[in-house]
Amino acid sequence: MDITEYMHAMGRRARTASRAMARADGATRNRALLLIADAIERDADLLRAANKEDMEAARAGGLEPALLDRLLLSDGAIKTMVEGLRQIVTLPDPVGEITNMKSRPSGIQVGQMRVPLGVIGIIYEARPNVTVDAAGLCIKSGNAAILRGGSEAIHCNRALAKLVSEGLAGAGLPLDAVQVVDTTDRAAVGALITMPQYVDVIVPRGGKGLIARLMDEATVPMIKHLDGICHVYIDDKADIAKALPIAFNAKCHRYGTCNTMETLLVARAVAPAVLPQLAALYAEKQVELRADHEAHAILAGYPYLKEATEQDWSTEYLAPILAIRVVEGLDGAIDHINTWSSKHTEAIVTEDYSAALRFLREVDSASVMVNASTRFADGFEYGLGAEIGISNDKLHARGPVGLEGLTSLKYVVFGHGEIRQ
Amino acid sequence: MDITEYMHAMGRRARTASRAMARADGATRNRALLLIADAIERDADLLRAANKEDMEAARAGGLEPALLDRLLLSDGAIKTMVEGLRQIVTLPDPVGEITNMKSRPSGIQVGQMRVPLGVIGIIYEARPNVTVDAAGLCIKSGNAAILRGGSEAIHCNRALAKLVSEGLAGAGLPLDAVQVVDTTDRAAVGALITMPQYVDVIVPRGGKGLIARLMDEATVPMIKHLDGICHVYIDDKADIAKALPIAFNAKCHRYGTCNTMETLLVARAVAPAVLPQLAALYAEKQVELRADHEAHAILAGYPYLKEATEQDWSTEYLAPILAIRVVEGLDGAIDHINTWSSKHTEAIVTEDYSAALRFLREVDSASVMVNASTRFADGFEYGLGAEIGISNDKLHARGPVGLEGLTSLKYVVFGHGEIRQ
């Protein structure tokens, strides 16, 4: 079988199914989600068996423990998938809303209607729960989906695909509304990201390596972020009682997440007071500090201290390592961030009203915060109800992307026979 | 001079200027616009002289009359440019608005702030007025701009660039906020569309040939449409008194515009009544009708009649030619449109409530209309106050794009020391 033709055929079926999905009302789409949740509960044993096959093959193939951990479909993971689907059902229908309706001098009325994007391609690693999460969000938003999960999870994904199909069928929706790519051939990914005639947007969920590779080749637009080099700036007007827990939480709450702080900026005036107190907190977690010359002098004697190089300003450690730089003040901080940040999330700690407003306005990142930990940059924390991904790009969705990011606004015109003069 | 290095240097300056533009308040940006308008009025003679140089060179080079016509900077065109700038001043500031502010259970407040995209690249043909229009919209929306106009207009564009600089300087804004590419080397375009590190979005304004070429090479996202294959569908429940003027206006108001109807669909039940009456109107304008088999039989005897081929369903004539197809009813019309349309603008003529709603919902185009001419798909007619272009794409801006399309929404978080639990 030619893999490109296989993917194109899948794309054509998805395009056709997307029209039926766009027509379906919200109640029907919710019904499908509930049926899928029920089917997963009912067939939990089958899913565990399929996952066991994947796990055994992966172990035999020498998959590393961290990835084995992700591949495992535990009882808790099954319960979370089911609850996730039922949670999506409770969210408002993102489709069909008409906003900004205006009457124009010509007599026409013009508004914008929120509609599904069409066909969403999701590319992810060997995490079976993503299959259900992504299918759920696409169904809820009236889109068709093509899912391509990591090859190590193929048995489990096949079993989940069967249950998703059952739910779609039970609600009277087309089976092709959610298709799982049933081949481990990597050429399938190459085809999926280069068929804009069938796929409207790609959402890659995975590590930087995966996304960088896709960015090079994709001709379909992507909702993605490459990395999260997030900053906290402790201003000279910061309340130290807020600065210490925020800087600690932003680094140490979780090391491997994209909204974790990687570089701390401290105003010169408060650096001698703040840095030693912070170091005492970081020392407990054995966080390595890579300090610029000025910070290094202040921190002399800290057990895990190194000199920072320029390389550190653009490194996403995803580890208990933190770059530290002393800046003159607000302007220096904004300048450093707009130069080195990956435009994901930045926070200022300050009690100065004007400094806070300037930071919010002038820092060019997807999320900009005052007196809060960067770890809040998250679809659930922002109240989106769900998160399909995070975007560092400026066009379309920016920051955490929920159901709305899987829709677009088209213009609708209500006329009464008007013609253009 | 190496052209890539020239463009990269321009990009770096634009990026730096974009930060100052994002900081500038609306009053300052408006002041620059008014100063530019005044300078153009004052130096109208100089502009005419520069344009005369361009016109003479173009005539000597054998430029065709239609393009010479566009290149000409008439007194009327100068007046329109000046009025356009003063009109942009009266529009609300698109930057800085915060919407959707919500308090979250964690204690943080989250909203979305509208901010400039950053650096906009505009690529256009030899129409000097676009230089001023585009500069005006970019300044108003707080962006920096790099303008690359057709080489035939180089003298006039240089003169205009000088006046734009004068206005920026007078308002205290950086001169690099609007840069005009001062070389006729076409490699400049290739560099501009492949430097995403400096340019956030490209807006091409020109014919299909230009845009298709850019689409092949660009790595910077574009706000664009390739063509406008627009449809009017006359439903079996249409009011004929509305259908005739709409179908006539959509085709004959202007032939060369992207929102002109190229294919007319007619429900079988009303085709024998509607088509001869319409043909009588089209005959006055000598519109060639390319009819499918069924319509051809009804129209027998029409003086400019041809048989349609499948090729006609995907052709943008931009001329007094119209494809006509008889369809069974609403489903057939939606199916034809979603298969053949360029997703620009489509209209239904009907008095049937459910048919109107289904057409609005199910037709997957940037503008969808009921009982109005497709010619209304336009930023001014929609009340956007200005139009930088039209997008047939689904991500980011869709349909006519005004100032808002040159901005994005970033998340802003107002905290009080919150950390993630």
Side-chain angles (χ1 to χ4, degrees):
Chain A
M1 178 189 53
D2 175 54
I3 195 74
T4 304
E5 186 36 48
Y6 169 79
M7 292 305 295
H8 280 209
M10 188 174 263
R12 277 190 295 274
R13 291 194 301 270
R15 180 62 76 205
T16 302
S18 74
R19 295 182 189 159
M21 290 300 283
R23 270 197 302 273
D25 59 26
T28 303
R29 286 179 269 121
N30 280 340
R31 183 143 172 262
L33 295 172
L34 292 174
L35 289 173
I36 297 167
D38 294 348
I40 292 172
E41 263 182 345
R42 184 198 64 211
D43 283 356
D45 286 346
L46 288 175
L47 290 173
R48 273 188 291 261
N51 185 241
K52 206 172 154 211
E53 268 191 85
D54 288 329
M55 290 292 286
E56 277 162 12
R59 259 190 223 102
L63 198 71
E64 50 179 295
L67 299 181
L68 278 177
D69 204 45
R70 284 189 187 174
L71 180 58
L72 178 68
L73 195 64
S74 65
D75 290 356
I78 292 177
K79 197 167 160 236
T80 304
M81 286 195 304
V82 168
E83 280 170 3
L85 286 172
R86 290 177 182 152
Q87 162 70 16
I88 292 173
V89 169
T90 66
L91 297 175
D93 188 353
V95 170
E97 184 191 28
I98 296 181
T99 49
N100 300 321
M101 193 71 132
K102 289 172 293 194
S103 294
R104 299 292 305 150
S106 62
I108 62 171
Q109 289 166 285
V110 185
Q112 289 177 290
M113 182 191 279
R114 195 165 284 287
V115 290
L117 283 176
V119 178
I120 317 288
I122 317 259
I123 299 170
Y124 51 105
E125 291 165 339
R127 302 174 73 163
N129 62 309
V130 175
T131 303
V132 170
D133 286 0
L137 293 172
C138 291
I139 292 170
K140 177 76 183 190
S141 54
N143 289 289
I146 298 178
L147 309 179
R148 207 289 182 177
S151 53
E152 298 86 352
I154 188 84
H155 293 101
C156 197
N157 282 342
R158 273 182 197 147
L160 287 167
K162 219 172 134 275
L163 302 179
V164 170
S165 292
E166 181 186 327
L168 289 167
L173 291 171
L175 297 191
D176 292 333
V178 178
Q179 299 178 82
V180 172
V181 176
D182 194 5
T183 162
T184 57
D185 189 335
R186 300 198 81 161
V189 172
L192 182 59
I193 64 177
T194 52
M195 49 188 220
Q197 67 275 42
Y198 302 124
V199 180
D200 294 293
V201 69
I202 295 285
V203 185
R205 296 181 62 154
K208 187 169 170 172
L210 169 72
I211 291 166
R213 219 163 47 236
L214 298 179
M215 279 173 71
D216 272 350
E217 291 174 39
T219 56
V220 178
M222 284 198 278
I223 295 176
K224 54 106 181 51
H225 69 278
L226 194 60
D227 47 15
I229 300 172
C230 301
H231 297 73
V232 172
Y233 163 58
I234 301 178
D235 187 43
D236 49 350
K237 300 284 168 46
D239 176 352
I240 305 297
K242 290 173 184 156
L244 298 179
I246 286 172
F248 183 72
N249 183 262
K251 182 71 236 178
C252 299
H253 184 252
R254 277 180 69 187
Y255 297 118
T257 47
C258 58
N259 55 17
T260 296
M261 167 177 64
E262 303 292 7
T263 301
L264 174 71
L265 304 171
V266 185
R268 178 159 295 134
V270 295
V274 169
L275 284 177
Q277 294 185 63
L278 256 177
L281 298 173
Y282 289 136
E284 282 174 43
K285 299 281 185 183
Q286 306 182 12
V287 175
E288 178 181 315
L289 300 180
R290 301 204 183 160
D292 77 335
H293 189 68
E294 213 169 326
H296 198 275
I298 296 169
L299 291 166
Y302 181 80
Y304 319 102
L305 186 63
K306 286 195 179 167
E307 284 271 5
T309 66
E310 196 174 280
Q311 175 77 31
D312 286 296
W313 309 145
S314 56
T315 301
E316 185 183 28
Y317 303 114
L318 299 172
I321 305 173
L322 176 68
I324 300 185
R325 186 177 194 179
V326 173
V327 293
E328 177 56 41
L330 180 65
D331 284 306
I334 292 174
D335 210 50
H336 178 100
I337 292 170
N338 283 342
T339 304
W340 297 105
S341 159
S342 67
K343 303 186 183 303
H344 189 297
T345 299
E346 333 294 343
I348 184 176
V349 186
T350 191
E351 296 301 307
D352 184 287
Y353 173 82
S354 299
L357 291 196
R358 275 197 58 206
F359 191 87
L360 287 177
R361 174 76 174 258
E362 296 177 28
V363 169
D364 184 27
S365 295
S367 288
V368 189
M369 306 181 165
V370 179
N371 293 345
S373 168
T374 54
R375 286 280 297 134
F376 283 109
D378 172 281
F380 293 93
E381 292 295 335
Y382 282 3
L384 305 184
E387 184 182 288
I388 189 88
I390 289 187
S391 168
N392 286 4
D393 294 322
K394 296 183 187 178
L395 296 193
H396 195 64
R398 193 173 183 188
V401 180
L403 289 169
E404 206 175 275
L406 299 180
T407 65
S408 77
L409 292 174
K410 71 181 178 191
Y411 281 99
V412 290
V413 172
F414 293 84
H416 322 79
E418 284 84 359
I419 59 171
R420 183 95 178 259
Q421 298 303 324
Chain B
M1 177 188 54
D2 176 53
I3 195 73
T4 304
E5 186 36 50
Y6 169 80
M7 293 304 296
H8 280 209
M10 188 174 263
R12 277 190 295 273
R13 292 195 301 270
R15 179 63 76 205
T16 301
S18 74
R19 293 182 190 160
M21 290 298 284
R23 269 198 302 272
D25 59 27
T28 303
R29 286 179 269 123
N30 280 341
R31 182 141 173 263
L33 295 172
L34 292 174
L35 289 172
I36 296 167
D38 293 348
I40 291 172
E41 263 182 345
R42 185 197 64 211
D43 283 356
D45 287 346
L46 288 175
L47 290 172
R48 273 187 292 260
N51 185 239
K52 206 173 155 211
E53 268 191 85
D54 288 329
M55 291 292 286
E56 277 162 12
R59 262 191 220 100
L63 198 71
E64 51 179 293
L67 299 182
L68 277 177
D69 203 46
R70 285 190 187 173
L71 180 58
L72 178 69
L73 195 64
S74 66
D75 290 356
I78 292 177
K79 198 168 160 236
T80 304
M81 285 195 304
V82 168
E83 279 171 4
L85 286 171
R86 291 179 181 150
Q87 162 70 16
I88 292 173
V89 169
T90 67
L91 296 176
D93 189 352
V95 170
E97 183 190 30
I98 297 181
T99 49
N100 300 321
M101 193 70 133
K102 287 172 295 194
S103 294
R104 299 292 305 150
S106 62
I108 61 171
Q109 290 166 284
V110 185
Q112 288 177 291
M113 183 191 280
R114 193 165 286 287
V115 290
L117 284 176
V119 178
I120 317 288
I122 317 261
I123 298 170
Y124 51 105
E125 291 165 340
R127 302 174 72 163
N129 63 308
V130 175
T131 304
V132 170
D133 286 1
L137 293 172
C138 290
I139 292 170
K140 177 76 183 188
S141 54
N143 288 290
I146 298 178
L147 309 179
R148 208 287 182 177
S151 52
E152 297 87 353
I154 188 84
H155 293 100
C156 197
N157 282 341
R158 273 183 198 146
L160 287 167
K162 219 173 133 273
L163 303 180
V164 170
S165 292
E166 182 186 326
L168 288 167
L173 292 171
L175 298 189
D176 292 333
V178 177
Q179 298 177 83
V180 172
V181 177
D182 195 5
T183 163
T184 56
D185 189 334
R186 300 197 81 160
V189 172
L192 183 58
I193 64 177
T194 52
M195 48 188 219
Q197 67 275 41
Y198 303 124
V199 180
D200 295 293
V201 70
I202 295 285
V203 185
R205 296 181 61 155
K208 188 169 170 171
L210 169 72
I211 291 166
R213 221 164 45 238
L214 298 180
M215 279 172 72
D216 272 350
E217 290 174 41
T219 56
V220 178
M222 284 198 279
I223 295 176
K224 54 107 184 45
H225 69 279
L226 194 61
D227 47 15
I229 301 171
C230 302
H231 297 73
V232 173
Y233 164 58
I234 302 179
D235 187 44
D236 48 352
K237 298 285 168 43
D239 175 351
I240 304 298
K242 290 174 184 155
L244 298 179
I246 287 172
F248 184 72
N249 184 263
K251 182 72 235 179
C252 299
H253 184 252
R254 277 181 69 187
Y255 297 118
T257 47
C258 59
N259 55 16
T260 296
M261 166 178 64
E262 303 293 6
T263 302
L264 173 71
L265 304 171
V266 186
R268 179 161 294 133
V270 295
V274 169
L275 285 178
Q277 294 185 62
L278 256 177
L281 298 173
Y282 289 137
E284 282 174 43
K285 300 281 186 181
Q286 305 182 14
V287 175
E288 179 181 315
L289 300 180
R290 301 205 184 160
D292 77 334
H293 189 68
E294 213 170 325
H296 198 277
I298 296 169
L299 291 166
Y302 181 80
Y304 320 102
L305 187 63
K306 286 195 176 164
E307 284 272 5
T309 65
E310 196 173 280
Q311 174 77 32
D312 285 296
W313 308 146
S314 57
T315 301
E316 186 183 26
Y317 304 115
L318 299 172
I321 304 173
L322 176 67
I324 300 185
R325 187 177 194 178
V326 172
V327 293
E328 175 56 42
L330 180 65
D331 284 306
I334 293 174
D335 210 49
H336 178 99
I337 292 170
N338 283 341
T339 304
W340 297 104
S341 161
S342 66
K343 302 187 184 303
H344 189 297
T345 299
E346 333 293 343
I348 185 175
V349 186
T350 192
E351 296 300 307
D352 185 286
Y353 173 82
S354 299
L357 290 196
R358 276 196 57 205
F359 191 87
L360 287 177
R361 174 77 175 257
E362 296 177 29
V363 169
D364 184 27
S365 294
S367 288
V368 189
M369 306 181 166
V370 179
N371 293 345
S373 167
T374 54
R375 286 281 296 134
F376 282 110
D378 172 282
F380 293 92
E381 293 295 335
Y382 283 3
L384 304 185
E387 184 183 289
I388 188 89
I390 290 187
S391 167
N392 286 4
D393 293 322
K394 294 184 190 179
L395 296 195
H396 195 63
R398 193 175 184 187
V401 181
L403 289 168
E404 205 174 277
L406 299 180
T407 66
S408 77
L409 292 174
K410 72 180 178 193
Y411 280 99
V412 290
V413 172
F414 292 84
H416 322 79
E418 284 84 358
I419 59 171
R420 182 95 179 259
Q421 299 304 322

